[in-house]
Each structure stands twice: as C-alpha cells, then as structure tokens.
Amino acid sequence: MPGDEEPQPEHHRLRFHVLGPVRADRDGQPLPLGSPQERAALAILLLRDGRPLTASDLVDALWGDDPPHRAMDTLRGYVTRLRAVLEPGRPFRGRAKVLVSTGGGYAVRVPPGSLDATVFEEHLAAAATARASGDAAGAYARLTTALALWEGTALAGLTGPYAERERERLTELRATAREDHYDCALALGRHAESVAGLRALAAEHPLREKPRALLMLALHRAGRQAEALAVFSETERLLPDGPGPGLVRLRERILAGDPALAAPAVSGAGPASSEGWGSAGAPSALDLLPPEPAGFTGRETLTGEVRAALSEGDVVVLTGPGGTGKTALATHTARAVRAAYPDGLLHVDLRGTDPEPVDTGAALAELLHALGVTDAALPDDVERRAALYRSLLADRRVLVVLDDAHDTARVRPLLPDVPGCAALVTTRSPDLALPGARTVGVDAMEEKEALAMLTAVGGGRAAGSAVAGGDAARSVVAACERLPLALRIAGARLTTPPAWTPGDLAARLAEERQRLDTLHDVGVAQADADAVVLEAACRVAHDALEPETARAFRLLALPDAGPLDAASAAAVLDLPDATRAEAVVGGLVRAGLLESTGPGRYGQHALVRLFARRQSERLDSPPVRDAALLRLLDHQLATAVTALLRLSPDSPLPRHLLHHLATAGRPLADAGAARAWAHDAHPDVLATVRQVLAQDVPDALRPAVDLLTVWAALTAGTARRHGLEPFVRQALDRARERGDDTAAARTLRLPVAPSPEELRSALRLAEEVHDPLTPLLAGFELGVVLLELDRADEALPLLVRAEEGLAREGAAGGAAEALAHAARAYIALGRPEESLAAADAAVERARGVGRGRTLALVLLQTGRAHLRADRTSAAADRLREALAVEPEGTDPRREALVWAWLARCRLAQLRHREAVAAADRALALEAGPGDDHVRGLALAARGRAQLALGEPRLALGALREAHEVLTRRGAAEAAEVASLLNEEFGGG
C-alpha cells in the first residue's frame, strides 16, 4: 500500500572498489574484508554482476591447479566471515541478502552503482555514445569521471588465475579509456596541457601506437614540430617491426604542414582529417560565472557601454562604490557577449575588500585548474603560473572576469594578455590602473531602472501600478538611493513572510535612515552615504527575521572562508544535517541576505557580511561566536580525515589526532570525491586555520594543528603544499606561546623542506611529551634529509626505526617507503646484500599496498639504490616501471625526477644519446612545475653525456647552469658538478 514502504536494505549503503586495492565501505566507513584470498573471493563474485558461480568454479578461480587441502571448507569459512562483515545485523541463521547461496554456489547481489568497475564501464559506454554523436565535450566529461574511479592497479595484491585475467581486462580498458580521453582533449583544443600526460602514457605502454600518435599530434599543434618528429624517431627504435602505416602517414603530414592537422576551430565540430589519430569537436565552452541575481533588470545603457569598451580593447574595468551592482553587471555583460568568446567564461572572486584578499598565486591556481591543470602539474611560483596561464589561453578566445580586485599589482598577472582574450575587472578602488584598460563607472541606477528592479525582486506582491509608478515605490527607491544591493535586500521584504506593503517598507526604511543619519551627524560612526543606505536596508531585513533565522544570518557571516556549502553551514549553525541547513539558508536567500554563488554554495556580499558581523558582536556572546568557528574547524578536519582515508587507507594520522572529533564531517564516496573536495576546500581550510589562530579562539590550536597535519599529507607533492608555510609558522608561534610542546612538535615537521635542526627539535619535544606519532614521521623525514646530505650512517638507524614503527601501526605504504630509503642507506654504507634485500622487500610491500603513488616512490628510491650498487640494468627496470604506475593522469614533478635519474642510469650504461633524451624529457616535464632540484640533476646528466659525445661547448653550458641551480638549492650534487667543471674546464 502507498506509504507502507519497507526500510531501505542495509546493502544499499555498501560500496565496493576493485579498481585498485579491493575494499568495501558502508556509509563511507571502511569494512575489514580479511585476507587477500577472502577479498579475492568477494571480488570474483562482484565482477560477475550478480550471476552465480558454483563452489567448485570459485575454487578454481581462486587457486587454479593448486587448491589447498580441504579447499571447500576454506571457501565456506571465507563466505561466513564475509557475510558477517557485509551484513553485521543479520540474525543468526537469517537469510543472507548480499552474499547469497544459489544451489551449489554463491552470488553477490548489490544495487546498480555499488561497484566501481561497473560504474567505470557504464561511463565508457556513455562516452562512446557521446563520441559517436560528435559530442567530444560530453565524452571527455564521462571519461574524466570514469578514470577518476581508479585508485591504482586493479585488484591490487590479489593472486589467482581469475584475478590475473580480470586485472588484464580492466587494465586494457583503462589504457584505452586514457587514449580516448586524450583524443577528446585534443578535439577540445587542449593540446598544450595534454603533452605531459601523453608522454607518460606512451612510456607506460611503449608498444601501443595510439598514445604516440596523439603525442605527436599534440606537440605539432603546440608548435613543437621537432619534438613531434622525435617521438616518431624514438618509435622507430622501440617497435620491432617499426611504426605502423598510421604513424608513418602522420609523420608525412606533419612534415608537409598539413593544415587539416591544426587545432580545431573554436566554433567547429566534427571529425578532424587525421586518419584516426586525434579528432576534433566543439570547444569546452566553460562558464564559471556566478549566477545572475534574481530579478536582474535594467542597466541597458551600461551594458552597451561595457560591450563597446570590450570591442575596443581587451581589458575593461568596472569601478564604483560597494553595492552598485558591479559584479551583477559584469556577469550579465559577460554572458551577453559570450558568442565572441566561445572557448569559455572564467571567473575569480579576488575578495579585494576582505581583510585578506586572494593573493595572485592562489588566483592563478584557480584559473589554471579551470583550464585543466591538475594540482600535481601546478607550478610553484607566480611567474611560472602566469606563463603557463598565458600559454594555455593562446589560440583560445576566453573572457576572464576578475571580481572585486584590490590593487593593480595583484591583477596584472591575471590578465590574459593574448590576442582574442579579454578581461572584465570590477573594483571599488579608484586607484586601480591597468595599461590600456577602458574604465566604466558604475553608480546608482536611474529611477526607472530602480523601480523595475524593485518590481522584479518584489514579485507578485510588488507588481502593478503600486510599485511601478506609485509614491510608496518611489519612496522605497529613494530611501535605497537607487543602489541595487539595497533595493534587492529591501525589496525581498515585499515577498518574504510576513510580507510588507510598499508603504510599510518605505516608512520603515525612512525611519531607519533618519536614525542612522542622526548617529552619523553626532560622530557615533563614520561611513559614507552608500554605507548608511546599505546598513539601513540590512537592519530592516535583519529585524524582520525570526530570532533563529537572524542568529543564522549573523553566525554564517563569521567565517573568513569563502561561500559555504550546506554541510559547512550546518556545522556553523550546529544543525543536525545539510537538509536542515538548506532550509535556513534558503530563507536567507529569499530575504536577500545571502547569495547563491554556484550550485549548493552560498555567500554574502562583503558589505552585508560586515553588517552581520557587527550585529553578531552586539548580540552574540564571544563563546557563541567562537563555538561557531570551532564547529566549522571540526567539520573541515573530520572531512579531511575522511579524504585522507580514501586516498591512503593505512595512514596513521587519523588514529593519532590531538583533537577528539565531534562530527563525522562530509561523507566522500571514493578517492575521486576525496581529491575533488580537497581541491575545492583548500582556500577555505586555510582561511579557517588562519582565522582561529589569529583570533586566538580558545581550544582551536590542537584541531588547527591536526588539520594542517592532515592537509600536508593531502597536498604532498603539489604546489599547494607550499601554500601551507605561513599557516604552519603561525601555528608554531601559537603553540610556543601556549607552551603546548605536543602541538609544537607536530608543527615543526610540517614545513615543505624542514631543516635537520627543526626535525631534531620535533623528535626531542615529542619524546618528552610521549607523543606516539611524531617520532615515527619526523624520524623518517630526518632520515631522508640526512640521506640526501650523504650522511647515511646517521640516516640508517632512523629509517629502520621508522620502518618498524610504521609497520606496527599498520601503515604499510609508509613502511615500504622507509624501507626503500633504507636500501639506499645500506648501499651507501657498503652493505650491498642488505641493500638488495631491503629494496626487494620494499617493492613487494608497495605492490601489496596497491597505490600507484607509493609504488612509484618505492621504485624510484630502490632504482637509485641499484644504480649506486652498479646494478644498472635493474635500476633502469625499476625507474621505467616507476613511470608506468601512476594511478591516473600524471605527476610531472615525480615523472621529471624519475627521468632525471634514468638519465644518470643511461650514463652509467654508456648510452649517452639516451641519457641526453632522458634528461631532455626531465627538463620538459620540469618546465611546468618548476622544480630546481630536478632541473639541476637533469642538466648535470645532460652535460656529462654531451662531454662523452664530444660536445664540450654544449656540455659547459649545461654544467654551469646545473651548478648554479643546485648550489642555489643547497643540493649535495652541486659539489660533484663543481668537481667535474674544475677537472674538464678549469673551473668553468
């Protein structure tokens, strides 16, 4: 009967993952699936998509021709234990609903969407359909989502014939999906940003021709024809039978300058004539602008003026006081001219009127991410980011809206500065001056426009002659000084229960204006006329709210973080869930006091937020305000912990937090969701940490240190990691002020490149306060630092202790990495047998962990150990494999470092031309992120190879630059290069 629905089965909350280590979770919480064989049994049944398998066939799939004694009993034990984990609430002898018995066998029955492999293949099918219909952008989006599901090698760590077959099948599907993904990227004009990833894909699958063809096409379109042809030459050497006819024809077309190979026209769609190697399609058509405010109307004259200014130049500045509607005008105009900018509309809120405006580096990071640059590929410094930004905009037609700019210096690097692109800048600063920019002043609306806006905002209650031309409406418009923001807030009172008449609203606004004018006249407050107008409108709106809604309005203004999602709003307001928060937030949006800044995110205009904060200072006690910020901090920390567990399930950090979490945070379904949340939340997390530390919020230090510690792990290996430095120093200063040695010890190891002294201090403090976590991590990190300084005798005991401690903690990935570094220390101390044993054990453990990043790190370090032991063939194998195990996409920093060491390996093998090629590959990859250490290593290898090849002039230039870069970095290899320069060139 209707309404008599059964409760949702428990298995609807289960999620299963086989595209990496086999795991399962319920409501985001990981489940203990037991031994590798138990996980293998579950994976086999999951991959049959609900179809049953007999017990004997399952035994064969698990063990092949070598089953254990009493295999059937063992299998039944597996099933019993798995059922207990998957359905913990099932009554004794109750009927199983997930892992079910079917005659003489078993099956796993789960709802659609519960298994990542099935979802992956569904996305592939949808992408194929989209491509067939010419929708390259839709296919690209589907493939991006599909590939984000992968967490490493499929069925990692599982043995048996069935697992091997399925691993091969899924790996082949992934490789093809990656090829198709890059094919779509080229169709969308993303050739420059695809080069690094295609190089990695070609290296990972050296015998597949399509990645090489796509790489050649991407290089050709990026104007790098020589490199494109070099790919063909390398393919001739690698493939036993030489390149196929498709590659040969592509080379000929590149040599001939075939115009059909050019990047797709921005307005074009349809296939490119590249004979299967790359295609063309519609542009990506980004639109990252915030939504226009409800009821936007008028401004026809200003819109025309801005459009005319854009047609005359590439930079237009909208300037005027706060509340005049500059952002709404910029958004409206940008969408009105989007036909002239078919490659997209970008937007960055620079928050120039905030106490901490967005810095240039962070703004460039946001723009680069919108253009497809991953965190791993993000350059470290502003200059490189700006250069990459301009290169990605070359040959595109994009309009960039830079909202609420603070000053000229912060804005100039954000201007596209390439033909075909333009920028709209909004600012309150009259001093902002940009070369060649057209300035358009934005002031109060004309009365006719203001009346139209009041009618639009007021809806049915305000429609008709009463508002359109009545005296009450004119009084409202006059009281609001025709400022759009004030009109929007005041007009909302006409529709928000209890709705007022225009006459009531006019009278209340006049009364409030008179009161505030009196206060200003006697010097109680200092504000310009516009601020008085806005304050009057905000007071009228605030005072009409229900008490709990008014409290929510005030508390939501307290965080320095950007626009909040519903889950974060629920934390600030101490509400039970996001649904309840949505209801409260929706009421404030309807009241004109909150704005929807994007799907599911809400913010306040800077002037409204300032009013709300002042009201909170007047009406809410300090403990109430502090508690709101602490709840947000707790929510962010809990969600960050969930993200870390999705990406590194064996991390010891969540088990050793200094702060006891009061909430579960936001659920994150998988690694892809974790990465996406961590990227989006990065500025908000740092803003919250800065705020609670700067305001010295009671009880905030330890959760802030926890959040910085987890965030350092989430951003490891990316440029965003460098952004933590000022907050780490801020937390350390606060910890020392408070005399909190545990917090100080944990913070001392968080700088990007902590000194040996900082790490020793962390160890000493941690041992004094008996902190179980810091000695493991700081000891490991100190061992690595000392090893790089050629102090292997000091490094080895630290690394051995770290490996043992991390293994006890169950941190298998960290233990494998420590053991790999120990292998390097053993060989440096002349203990080759122990080095070889440690290296082999480290690689075996890393393979069992199943995370591509861990295995890549371990392979790199063990490759270095083999190289130092003169086992160059083994070293090359390890280094080449390290290039092939990234879980998805590329990590240019790590790839560049591997290529630099591979260049040294080729030097040791006297394969000097290959050494030059490997060094050049490292330099090409390093050029994006800008890693001086990698650059120095690669240049040193290149210089040595060129010396051996009889090219002393080229060698001298490379070695000189290598010495300069490595010396500046303080790298140990600088002395080695200096010695070579002195020996060969008399000091250079």
Side-chain angles (χ1 to χ4, degrees):
M1 294 178 60
D4 293 340
E5 298 178 359
E6 294 183 5
Q8 187 183 41
E10 189 171 349
H11 66 261
H12 278 221
R13 299 177 289 158
L14 290 171
R15 293 291 183 271
F16 298 93
H17 311 265
V18 298
L19 301 180
V22 174
R23 61 183 182 85
D25 55 66
R26 178 184 291 106
D27 291 337
Q29 300 302 312
L31 301 178
L33 295 181
S35 69
Q37 286 298 86
E38 288 175 76
R39 286 183 282 123
L42 176 62
I44 291 167
L45 294 172
L46 283 166
L47 288 167
R48 290 186 59 79
D49 197 24
R51 292 175 287 115
L53 189 66
T54 66
S56 60
D57 286 344
L58 187 50
V59 167
D60 288 342
L62 284 169
W63 292 289
D65 296 331
D66 189 26
H69 181 60
R70 301 176 65 86
M72 287 295 185
D73 289 343
T74 302
L75 178 60
R76 281 191 285 272
Y78 291 171
V79 170
T80 299
R81 287 190 290 274
L82 286 168
R83 283 173 171 167
V85 170
L86 297 175
E87 298 181 73
R90 183 169 60 92
F92 180 65
R93 296 188 182 279
R95 187 175 181 181
K97 296 180 180 179
V98 180
L99 205 173
V100 301
S101 298
T102 57
Y106 304 99
V108 169
R109 304 279 166 77
V110 292
S114 300
L115 176 62
D116 60 355
T118 303
V119 176
F120 172 69
E121 295 191 49
E122 288 171 352
H123 282 303
L124 297 192
T129 301
R131 295 187 78 195
S133 65
D135 182 10
Y140 183 85
R142 282 287 194 167
L143 290 165
T144 300
T145 303
L147 291 168
L149 295 169
W150 283 76
E151 300 176 356
T153 303
L155 304 167
L158 301 191
T159 58
Y162 186 89
E164 289 297 331
R165 289 194 302 272
E166 280 297 302
R167 187 179 294 115
E168 289 180 11
R169 183 184 72 84
L170 290 168
T171 301
E172 174 65 22
L173 282 176
R174 183 191 185 200
T176 302
R178 291 174 69 185
E179 291 172 350
D180 292 344
H181 190 242
Y182 284 115
D183 202 349
C184 291
L186 299 191
L188 298 171
R190 301 181 176 191
H191 41 273
E193 64 205 76
S194 298
V195 169
L198 281 167
R199 284 197 191 279
L201 185 59
E204 184 176 342
H205 300 284
L207 302 182
R208 296 174 76 104
E209 288 201 5
K210 186 168 184 180
R212 295 179 174 277
L214 291 170
L215 176 57
M216 289 174 65
L217 184 60
L219 289 167
H220 172 68
R221 288 180 174 177
R224 298 157 66 178
Q225 282 75 17
E227 292 179 67
L229 295 172
V231 173
F232 183 87
S233 299
E234 182 186 41
T235 307
E236 286 185 303
R237 295 193 301 270
L238 281 172
L239 299 184
D241 299 323
L247 274 180
V248 172
R249 175 62 179 145
L250 180 58
R251 174 178 177 271
E252 292 172 354
R253 296 175 68 191
I254 290 173
L255 288 169
D258 186 347
L261 291 182
V266 291
S267 59
S273 57
S274 53
E275 297 181 4
W277 301 121
S279 58
S284 54
L286 291 168
D287 183 352
L288 302 183
L289 299 179
E292 285 186 24
F296 181 89
T297 188
R299 296 300 204 185
E300 287 87 357
T301 301
L302 266 179
T303 300
E305 188 177 346
V306 176
R307 293 182 70 163
L310 279 173
S311 68
E312 296 171 7
D314 53 12
V315 180
V316 176
V317 178
L318 307 183
T319 182
T324 54
K326 297 182 295 296
T327 298
L329 176 63
T331 301
H332 174 74
T333 307
R335 289 206 170 96
V337 300
R338 72 168 302 149
Y341 303 98
D343 287 325
L345 306 173
L346 303 183
H347 174 269
V348 180
D349 183 359
L350 299 176
R351 304 184 68 174
T353 50
D354 281 10
E356 294 285 343
V358 175
D359 65 58
T360 304
L364 282 167
E366 189 173 339
L367 288 165
L368 287 170
H369 179 70
L371 292 169
V373 177
T374 63
D375 285 352
L378 188 68
D380 288 337
D381 58 78
V382 170
E383 290 75 16
R384 286 179 184 267
R385 290 183 188 182
L388 178 59
Y389 170 57
R390 289 191 292 273
S391 73
L392 292 178
L393 290 180
D395 301 323
R396 297 191 187 190
R397 295 166 67 190
V398 169
L399 177 60
V400 184
V401 177
L402 304 171
D403 198 14
D404 194 13
H406 182 268
D407 55 51
T408 304
R410 291 174 191 259
V411 173
R412 288 194 64 172
L414 308 179
L415 300 177
D417 199 24
V418 294
C421 294
L424 263 177
V425 183
T426 75
T427 183
R428 289 196 222 170
S429 172
D431 300 324
L432 190 141
L434 300 172
R438 274 69 171 171
T439 300
V440 176
V442 182
D443 296 311
M445 305 179 85
E446 298 292 335
E447 184 183 58
K448 180 180 178 181
E449 293 179 322
L451 287 167
M453 172 174 277
L454 187 62
T455 300
V457 173
R461 179 79 174 178
S465 58
V467 169
D471 291 340
R474 286 194 171 87
S475 296
V476 171
V477 166
C480 292
E481 295 284 353
R482 294 173 282 111
L483 287 177
L485 179 59
L487 282 166
R488 197 171 303 283
I489 295 169
R493 288 301 326 133
L494 300 174
T495 58
T496 305
W500 296 355
T501 67
D504 294 334
L505 178 59
R508 185 69 179 84
L509 284 169
E511 177 186 338
E512 191 61 48
R513 277 292 306 274
Q514 183 179 8
R515 189 181 71 80
L516 290 172
D517 285 339
T518 301
L519 291 177
H520 297 325
D521 288 341
V522 299
V524 175
Q526 296 296 321
D528 58 23
D530 291 337
V532 174
V533 169
L534 290 169
E535 184 176 354
C538 287
R539 284 184 181 277
V540 169
H542 173 268
D543 293 349
L545 297 173
E546 293 292 329
E548 283 304 304
T549 308
R551 174 182 175 274
F553 166 64
R554 299 191 301 270
L555 295 187
L556 288 174
L558 297 179
D560 284 347
L564 301 176
D565 59 23
S568 299
V572 171
L573 302 178
D574 199 18
L575 295 175
D577 52 50
T579 302
R580 178 74 181 276
E582 285 276 11
V584 175
V585 165
L588 290 171
V589 170
R590 289 189 294 275
L593 295 172
L594 275 186
E595 304 169 345
S596 174
T597 61
R601 295 184 71 84
Y602 306 92
Q604 292 170 320
H605 188 283
L607 294 173
V608 177
R609 185 167 68 247
L610 179 61
F611 167 79
R613 285 184 171 184
R614 287 174 176 167
Q615 288 295 98
S616 183
E617 290 171 3
R618 187 169 68 87
L619 299 174
D620 303 316
S621 67
V624 167
R625 298 198 302 273
D626 290 342
L629 294 177
L630 278 174
R631 288 192 297 270
L632 178 61
L633 180 65
D634 186 89
H635 170 76
Q636 291 174 336
L637 174 57
T639 310
V641 167
T642 299
L644 184 60
L645 288 173
R646 289 286 169 271
L647 297 168
S648 300
D650 59 354
S651 171
L653 296 182
R655 295 190 293 276
H656 294 287
L657 297 178
L658 300 176
H659 168 72
H660 178 72
L661 290 170
T663 179
R666 177 176 173 175
L668 301 170
D670 51 33
R675 291 189 192 95
W677 176 83
H679 179 277
D680 293 343
H682 183 77
D684 297 333
V685 163
L686 297 188
T688 302
V689 168
R690 177 181 57 222
Q691 183 178 15
V692 298
L693 292 176
Q695 295 181 8
D696 199 13
V697 173
D699 302 320
L701 173 61
R702 288 198 162 196
V705 169
D706 280 340
L707 187 49
L708 286 172
T709 303
V710 174
W711 215 253
L714 287 173
T715 56
T718 73
R720 289 185 180 271
R721 178 72 176 78
H722 294 266
L724 270 64
E725 294 285 340
F727 308 96
V728 167
R729 298 298 176 190
Q730 185 185 19
L732 180 58
D733 290 343
R734 192 65 76 190
R736 285 171 170 165
E737 290 172 9
R738 294 286 186 86
D740 190 332
D741 288 345
T742 304
R746 295 202 174 186
T747 310
L748 277 165
R749 53 163 292 271
L750 293 183
V752 173
S755 67
E757 292 73 24
E758 287 175 313
L759 292 170
R760 291 191 192 281
S761 294
L763 281 169
R764 177 180 54 78
L765 285 174
E767 289 166 357
E768 289 176 0
V769 296
H770 307 292
D771 177 11
L773 179 66
T774 302
L776 287 179
L777 302 182
F780 177 18
E781 291 152 2
L782 179 58
V784 173
V785 171
L786 294 172
L787 190 57
E788 294 298 334
L789 295 173
D790 283 336
R791 291 156 63 178
D793 55 334
E794 299 174 63
L796 181 59
L798 290 166
L799 293 168
V800 170
R801 280 201 296 273
E803 183 272 325
E804 293 171 347
L806 289 167
R808 284 195 302 271
E809 281 283 332
E817 291 178 31
L819 192 55
H821 285 287
R824 288 178 52 213
Y826 281 123
I827 195 63
L829 295 172
R831 297 158 66 175
E833 292 184 2
E834 290 166 284
S835 175
L836 178 60
D840 289 346
V843 172
E844 183 179 354
R845 289 192 198 179
R847 293 193 199 283
V849 170
R851 288 196 300 277
R853 180 178 184 275
T854 296
L855 182 55
L857 289 169
V858 167
L859 288 166
L860 169 60
Q861 301 308 327
T862 56
R864 293 177 63 182
H866 282 301
L867 180 58
R868 182 152 184 171
D870 294 325
R871 294 191 286 266
T872 55
S873 178
D877 289 344
R878 291 280 167 86
L879 293 170
R880 295 289 296 190
E881 187 182 355
L883 292 169
V885 297
E886 289 294 329
E888 62 176 276
T890 72
D891 182 340
R893 284 177 174 79
R894 194 179 310 123
E895 290 172 13
L897 183 59
V898 174
W899 278 110
W901 281 104
L902 190 57
R904 295 189 64 151
C905 185
R906 296 311 188 204
L907 275 175
Q909 294 173 313
L910 304 181
R911 296 160 66 173
H912 300 113
R913 285 293 177 199
E914 292 181 44
V916 171
D920 286 348
R921 186 70 60 83
L923 291 169
L925 287 165
E926 174 275 334
D931 190 313
D932 281 346
H933 187 223
V934 173
R935 181 168 183 78
L937 291 176
L939 285 167
R942 197 183 207 288
R944 285 181 175 277
Q946 288 167 328
L947 270 178
L949 291 167
E951 300 170 348
R953 185 177 59 82
L954 295 175
L956 177 59
L959 291 170
R960 278 177 171 170
E961 187 178 352
H963 182 255
E964 178 186 343
V965 170
L966 292 170
T967 300
R968 187 169 62 243
R969 177 69 180 251
E973 294 87 356
E976 179 185 322
V977 177
S979 176
L980 180 61
L981 279 169
N982 187 61
E983 179 183 338
E984 296 289 338
F985 301 100

